[in-house]
Amino acid sequence: MKLKKILKKNFRMIAIFGVFASWITIGSVWSGFGTLAFVGYFVTGGLFGLSIVAERI
């Protein structure tokens, strides 16, 4: 229940952090840091997933 309140209250910030994470992922791919891009891909997906779940609550 507490997680639902936190997600519902902060879903816009989670989405903004998701956008920043996606730009970091794109930048790391361009600069050739494959491992960082792989981790950034999962962070971006997780943040966008949380914002979608929070919006639907």
Side-chain angles (χ1 to χ4, degrees):
M1 193 67 166
K2 187 175 181 181
L3 182 62
K4 285 184 181 181
K5 288 180 183 179
I6 291 171
L7 287 176
K8 191 172 184 177
K9 185 177 178 182
N10 297 316
F11 81 94
R12 287 187 181 103
M13 288 302 294
I14 294 169
I16 290 171
F17 284 133
V19 170
F20 287 138
S22 68
W23 280 105
I24 290 170
T25 302
I26 292 168
S28 62
V29 168
W30 284 344
S31 60
F33 297 111
T35 305
L36 184 62
F38 189 67
V39 171
Y41 174 75
F42 287 110
V43 170
T44 302
L47 288 172
F48 282 133
L50 278 175
S51 67
I52 290 170
V53 167
E55 187 177 5
R56 303 251 182 217
I57 294 177

